[in-house]
Amino acid sequence: MPRSFPRRLRLPLREAVLTATTYFVCAAIALQLTRFDAGIAIVWLAGPILFARLSSTPRWRWAGIALACAPVGFCASMLFGFHGLVAVPLSLLCIAEAVSAAWLVRRLYPRFGRFQSLPEVGMFLLVAGLLVPAAAAFGAALCAHAASGIPYWKAWLDWYAGHALGFVTFAPPVLLSLRGETRQWIAAAGSKRVGEAAILLGLVVAASLITFGQNVIPLVIIPFVPMVAATLRLGRFGAISSIVILVSIGLSFSLAGRGPTTLLHGPMAMKLQVLQIYFASIVLIILPLAAELRSRRRLVDRLHAAEALHRAVLDRMSDIVVRVSADGTVRYASPSARQVTGYAPAELVGSSMFKLILPDDVPTILEARSRALADPDQTAILEYRVCCKNGDIVWVESHIRGILDEDGQTSGTVSIIREITRRRQLVESLTAQAMTDHLTGACNRRAFDEALLAVLGQSLAEPAADEAPAGCLALFDLDHFKRINDRHGHATGDDVLVRFVSILRGAVREGDLVARLGGEEFAVLLAGLGVDQAHLVCERIRMRFEETTIRDPLGNAVEATVSVGIALIVRGEESRTIMTQADDALYRAKQGGRNRTGLPLPADPEERRSA
């Protein structure tokens, strides 16, 4: 070829010439050896060759390849097939049939060409093994009937059988060979793999020779066993190589008058049709099997990759991933469980998830799991405490989601668990700070208001027949506190406040709330005490504070006293009313000379006036 010829056209031209030459040889062989009684060729090799070349070539080259094959197809027909003008439409029908099949398969399955899945194989069989040969047979049968008087439907059946079985039998191995599948497999396989392939394909050769090398017993099932073994072990390479071996040996021996077809009583045309049906049946079993194995192998590879990624992520993440069955048995725990709980994953698997959870938190877990099992699309989020192997208690946050089995039923839950002990402590610390007076450590006004409402709420929840007192509220106000600040300084005043809170806490019960309402005013909630009991407590506080010696930085003694007002917490009263009554009692104590306790007024008006 001249060097001046455009380089980008050299390959397409070479490809077209090679395809046309192969097409002519295959057409000549088929017409010469498988055409009987001036009829249609029983075995058609040329169509699969053109179909395979087109399926492995970009579409912009198809016209050149088809145009190159048209005249050689006409020549083969004139030399070995139908003579005269009828050779023109018949040769063009053969070309159109291969082009149509390739176009339609690529149209319906754009990634066609590797037989990697059942849909791809099924689409090929539908188009190349049924639709296109059946359609082309109508025109071919008309030409054959007009040229040689062959019965129309016999010509239709011969064309369809020969061309459909030819596509199904010969197109896949030729197409995969053109795509370099064999070369790629050999290049990627190691010596051990090549040795295994040689043994398996050698068994296919031996079984084919045994089947077609004798005319006594129809051992047509014998090659199927090593072919399946080669497909299972070698994949598509084993499947295609086995088909090529079987077809080559079987067709050669059958044309030579040997093999199981000789046991049939009938013309050679019928025997070759039966042989093609046998070959097509093998292809219809082996190719889908190879495609399914390929799909499953790819799926397994993806699963292995996903599992490796899954393991890598779980091994490096600090959160715990736990899979639990519906009955609460741990089925999987990630390695990070050891870091948080001290238990190795193997110690947790097979045991109940509830053994690590504090009993007080188990109802919360059960309720969250019930919601997750009932609605797998929703995620339940909750916090609870876990007991570690060393006895420590840690807080965790868990995101729980239901797991569906293959029947779509919830079979358990999966949880992502994160330790939040520090966060919980920080939240509790911030909550405590928000509810605590920073100077004295007593509760602040917000905490007091919530506690008073809680006491009133508890009292309302109690039965009306229960006459036990809800409690008393005691308000304390330091006497002449401004004078203390002015005379001894604010630092000394702060010491007085801190000392007074210390006395309060030492004089009341552990569950009684001590709060600083503001400035030098304090409150104590004495739950469950009557007025007389509360009076005794307040008097003890007042006297202890009066007897306490407090000195300023110069060593001067600070004289400090406190006045108290008591109010009874009555069912049905509002907190504002209770506070007003305590303020009134405190005011009466102040008016009476300070450093004393003011009691609530009697309910009877006459007793109130005398008081």
Side-chain angles (χ1 to χ4, degrees), residues 60-289:
W60 64 271
R61 300 183 188 175
W62 285 19
I65 296 175
L67 289 175
C69 292
V72 299
F74 173 75
C75 293
S77 180
M78 289 293 294
L79 292 174
F80 307 103
F82 288 95
H83 306 291
L85 293 178
V86 74
V88 175
L90 284 176
S91 59
L92 291 179
L93 269 174
C94 293
I95 302 296
E97 182 183 56
V99 173
S100 300
W103 180 85
L104 191 55
V105 171
R106 290 279 291 272
R107 181 75 175 178
L108 297 176
Y109 199 93
R111 298 189 303 275
F112 172 77
R114 297 189 182 277
F115 300 97
Q116 292 180 335
S117 64
L118 286 177
E120 181 179 8
V121 174
M123 192 62 64
F124 163 73
L125 295 177
L126 175 65
V127 173
L130 180 61
L131 298 180
V132 173
F138 288 104
L142 183 61
C143 295
H145 175 70
S148 59
I150 304 174
Y152 180 84
W153 288 111
K154 180 181 183 306
W156 184 95
L157 181 62
D158 289 344
W159 177 284
Y160 172 72
H163 287 237
L165 295 175
F167 276 123
V168 171
T169 304
F170 301 107
V174 175
L175 176 56
L176 292 178
S177 299
L178 292 175
R179 286 186 172 274
E181 294 286 334
T182 303
R183 183 177 62 256
Q184 293 174 10
W185 189 93
I186 295 175
S191 58
K192 182 178 180 180
R193 191 75 167 160
V194 172
E196 181 183 16
I199 294 174
L200 290 173
L201 296 180
L203 292 175
V204 175
V205 172
S208 300
L209 291 175
I210 291 174
T211 300
F212 291 95
Q214 49 85 29
N215 303 335
V216 181
I217 305 175
L219 302 175
V220 292
I221 197 66
I222 295 298
F224 183 72
V225 177
M227 290 180 73
V228 171
T231 302
L232 293 175
R233 295 297 302 167
L234 307 178
R236 285 178 305 167
F237 170 78
I240 298 304
S241 300
S242 300
I243 292 172
V244 171
I245 292 172
L246 177 68
V247 170
S248 301
I249 294 177
L251 189 59
S252 300
F253 276 76
S254 297
L255 290 174
R258 301 187 63 83
T261 55
T262 58
L263 301 177
L264 298 173
H265 300 287
M268 190 63 181
M270 183 268 290
K271 295 180 180 180
L272 289 180
Q273 284 183 342
V274 172
L275 180 66
Q276 278 203 99
I277 293 173
Y278 169 70
F279 290 153
S281 301
I282 294 291
V283 172
L284 290 175
I285 296 174
I286 296 299
L287 266 189
L289 176 63

Side-chain angles (χ1 to χ4, degrees), residues 48-68:
I49 296 296
L50 180 56
F51 170 84
R53 172 58 72 185
L54 295 177
S55 298
S56 61
T57 304
R59 289 187 182 178
W60 64 271
R61 300 183 188 175
W62 285 19
I65 296 175
L67 289 175

Side-chain angles (χ1 to χ4, degrees), residues 126-459:
L126 175 65
V127 173
L130 180 61
L131 298 180
V132 173
F138 288 104
L142 183 61
C143 295
H145 175 70
S148 59
I150 304 174
Y152 180 84
W153 288 111
K154 180 181 183 306
W156 184 95
L157 181 62
D158 289 344
W159 177 284
Y160 172 72
H163 287 237
L165 295 175
F167 276 123
V168 171
T169 304
F170 301 107
V174 175
L175 176 56
L176 292 178
S177 299
L178 292 175
R179 286 186 172 274
E181 294 286 334
T182 303
R183 183 177 62 256
Q184 293 174 10
W185 189 93
I186 295 175
S191 58
K192 182 178 180 180
R193 191 75 167 160
V194 172
E196 181 183 16
I199 294 174
L200 290 173
L201 296 180
L203 292 175
V204 175
V205 172
S208 300
L209 291 175
I210 291 174
T211 300
F212 291 95
Q214 49 85 29
N215 303 335
V216 181
I217 305 175
L219 302 175
V220 292
I221 197 66
I222 295 298
F224 183 72
V225 177
M227 290 180 73
V228 171
T231 302
L232 293 175
R233 295 297 302 167
L234 307 178
R236 285 178 305 167
F237 170 78
I240 298 304
S241 300
S242 300
I243 292 172
V244 171
I245 292 172
L246 177 68
V247 170
S248 301
I249 294 177
L251 189 59
S252 300
F253 276 76
S254 297
L255 290 174
R258 301 187 63 83
T261 55
T262 58
L263 301 177
L264 298 173
H265 300 287
M268 190 63 181
M270 183 268 290
K271 295 180 180 180
L272 289 180
Q273 284 183 342
V274 172
L275 180 66
Q276 278 203 99
I277 293 173
Y278 169 70
F279 290 153
S281 301
I282 294 291
V283 172
L284 290 175
I285 296 174
I286 296 299
L287 266 189
L289 176 63
E292 181 64 17
L293 289 175
R294 173 70 176 178
S295 298
R296 291 177 179 269
R297 189 172 293 113
R298 293 172 64 185
L299 178 61
V300 171
D301 291 342
R302 287 198 296 268
L303 289 176
H304 286 167
E307 182 180 7
L309 179 60
H310 169 78
R311 293 289 182 182
V313 171
L314 291 181
D315 289 346
R316 288 162 177 78
M317 69 184 299
S318 58
D319 293 349
I320 306 173
V321 178
V322 178
R323 183 166 56 85
V324 183
S325 62
D327 62 357
T329 303
V330 178
R331 297 303 181 188
Y332 171 80
S334 63
S336 52
R338 185 192 296 272
Q339 302 172 8
V340 177
T341 67
Y343 290 97
E347 297 178 84
L348 299 177
V349 174
S351 63
S352 173
M353 64 170 288
F354 302 109
K355 78 171 187 177
L356 302 182
I357 302 171
L358 264 62
D360 293 343
D361 296 340
V362 169
T364 305
I365 297 290
L366 291 174
E367 192 274 335
R369 291 195 79 236
S370 298
R371 285 189 282 114
L373 291 171
D375 189 359
D377 293 332
Q378 300 297 322
T379 300
I381 304 175
L382 69 158
E383 297 179 1
Y384 54 90
R385 291 163 292 177
V386 171
C387 183
C388 299
K389 192 173 185 178
N390 60 5
D392 292 343
I393 304 296
V394 297
W395 278 92
V396 297
E397 179 186 77
S398 179
H399 294 238
I400 305 176
R401 195 176 181 95
I403 302 175
L404 297 178
D405 58 16
E406 59 184 7
D407 297 324
Q409 303 296 322
T410 50
S411 60
T413 58
V414 61
S415 302
I416 299 179
I417 302 172
R418 174 175 296 177
E419 183 191 358
I420 58 167
T421 304
R422 292 184 180 179
R423 189 183 80 185
R424 186 82 182 198
Q425 292 172 347
L426 178 60
V427 171
E428 292 176 353
S429 174
L430 292 175
T431 303
Q433 292 177 23
M435 307 290 281
T436 304
D437 176 59
H438 69 281
L439 175 62
T440 63
C443 295
N444 59 16
R445 180 60 183 260
R446 177 183 174 185
F448 167 77
D449 290 339
E450 293 182 1
L452 179 57
L453 289 174
V455 172
L456 290 171
Q458 291 173 1
S459 66

